[in-house]
Amino acid sequence: MQKIDAHQHFWVFDPVRDSWITDDMSAIQKNFLPQELKYVLHENGMDGCVAVQADQSEEQNSFLLGLTEGNDFIKGIVGWVDLRAENIEDRLAYYSHTKLMKGFRHVLQGEANRALMLEPDFMRGISLLNKYGFTYDILIFPDQLKYAEKLVRQFPDQKFVLDHIAKPYIKDGKIDTWAAEIDLLARQENVWCKVSGMVTEADWHNWTNDTFKRYLDVVFNAFGPNKLMFGSDWPVCLIAGQYAQVKGILSDYCAALSPSEQNAIFGGNAITFYNL
């Protein structure tokens, strides 16, 4: 079974476009391209990755798809389209001819309208994804979990995956409301979850593997090992830890699981979900 990192990013750093990368994130205020990740993946026993959009533009899609040429370890792309556009079906039809475009996401966590995903024009875009074989990555903060649960119930045949376990407030130690809403979301059979993005929600300079145990307990109990997938969130993770440290959090937690369950989490589930 191939080992797949289900969530990472590439970019040529632009201080205007990438203004979300603030000065306290200076470690990632630079370019991150395939040659560097190829080495990191190999060093950590990983065979491939899924590259996820970091900018909401179709130019980003072209950039990511271009990077796949000569880099066959990039197994799939999660891009961006304007799901609210009148011509959304034309855009989906266009990308359906691109073998490595596997799905899309929108940076819902950054929207002033916290329930944007439930607006009719957004849901119309979501309703068309399955027709063209596309997945959808849900990128939200905990306050939006209740809206995500309503969204996924509307489209039982659509494959959804929750990014970064919905970014719980790990630094503040908050868990109860998030945990209850994760449990509700996970009851929908069409929803999977990426175990990713945790270190950047913790105290960047003061965490141990144990910091994440109770959050991992929640997602493992809710989704089970057949609906979870490892994602490094490289290079964003570098703000708070090296790739090996991030992978080590989940490797240690999964040590008691069967080999088949570990293989699923570290590759098999991503291959199934994204049809890699």
Side-chain angles (χ1 to χ4, degrees):
M1 178 66 70
Q2 285 200 316
K3 303 291 187 184
I4 303 293
D5 180 341
H7 197 105
Q8 57 76 214
H9 307 282
F10 296 116
W11 61 68
V12 174
F13 180 66
D14 180 325
V16 176
R17 182 197 65 202
D18 304 324
S19 59
W20 63 273
I21 305 176
T22 50
D23 288 344
D24 60 340
M25 303 179 185
S26 58
I28 61 171
Q29 287 181 329
K30 62 178 185 175
N31 300 346
F32 289 94
L33 295 166
Q35 196 56 40
E36 183 175 355
L37 181 63
K38 184 178 183 179
Y39 172 78
V40 172
L41 291 176
H42 178 74
E43 195 176 42
N44 286 278
M46 304 299 290
D47 300 304
C49 64
V50 175
V52 180
Q53 60 84 222
D55 175 52
Q56 300 199 123
S57 70
E58 291 202 34
E59 287 76 18
Q60 170 93 160
N61 299 342
S62 298
F63 168 71
L64 292 174
L65 288 166
L67 293 180
T68 66
E69 296 175 16
N71 292 299
D72 60 2
F73 69 91
I74 305 173
K75 304 298 183 183
I77 302 294
V78 176
W80 179 87
V81 286
D82 184 356
L83 290 165
R84 295 171 287 178
E86 289 187 10
N87 70 336
I88 180 60
E89 186 153 17
D90 292 340
R91 301 315 298 148
L92 295 177
Y94 169 80
Y95 285 114
S96 70
H97 299 295
T98 308
K99 182 182 176 184
L100 289 176
M101 186 63 81
K102 301 299 184 179
F104 298 97
R105 81 167 185 175
H106 186 88
V107 185
L108 290 165
Q109 67 176 29
E111 292 287 350
N113 178 2
R114 310 306 284 158
L116 176 71
M117 68 192 85
L118 299 180
E119 293 291 325
D121 54 354
F122 193 91
M123 289 204 294
R124 175 178 170 267
I126 293 287
S127 75
L128 294 166
L129 293 175
N130 189 48
K131 177 179 177 180
Y132 293 95
F134 291 122
T135 62
Y136 185 75
D137 272 54
I138 304 171
L139 177 63
I140 55 173
F141 283 130
D143 68 299
Q144 296 168 294
L145 274 165
K146 55 185 176 289
Y147 306 127
E149 195 266 343
K150 290 180 181 178
L151 174 71
V152 302
R153 273 197 282 117
Q154 298 297 314
F155 306 103
D157 295 326
Q158 173 62 45
K159 289 164 73 176
F160 292 95
V161 61
L162 180 66
D163 287 353
H164 309 325
I165 67 172
K167 297 192 167 185
Y169 307 114
I170 298 171
K171 185 177 181 180
D172 297 329
K174 295 180 180 178
I175 193 167
D176 293 345
T177 302
W178 167 82
E181 292 180 341
I182 283 285
D183 188 58
L184 282 175
L185 183 65
R187 292 179 191 180
Q188 306 305 314
E189 293 184 0
N190 54 329
V191 186
W192 304 49
C193 181
K194 291 183 183 178
V195 184
S196 58
M198 296 189 302
V199 293
T200 45
E201 300 309 314
D203 181 332
W204 296 350
H205 309 294
N206 292 289
W207 60 263
T208 68
N209 288 8
D210 285 345
T211 301
F212 309 102
K213 183 181 182 300
R214 59 191 190 133
Y215 297 91
L216 289 168
D217 285 345
V218 169
V219 294
F220 271 78
N221 288 334
F223 287 97
N226 292 322
K227 287 284 188 72
L228 295 169
M229 55 188 92
F230 164 70
S232 67
D233 201 25
W234 182 95
V236 182
C237 67
L238 299 177
I239 298 164
Q242 294 301 307
Y243 193 106
Q245 292 176 290
V246 172
K247 186 187 175 197
I249 295 166
L250 190 56
S251 294
D252 286 356
Y253 185 86
C254 292
L257 298 182
S258 70
S260 63
E261 288 172 328
Q262 293 184 49
N263 286 337
I265 292 163
F266 283 97
N269 294 340
I271 291 168
T272 298
F273 180 83
Y274 285 118
N275 190 28
L276 302 182

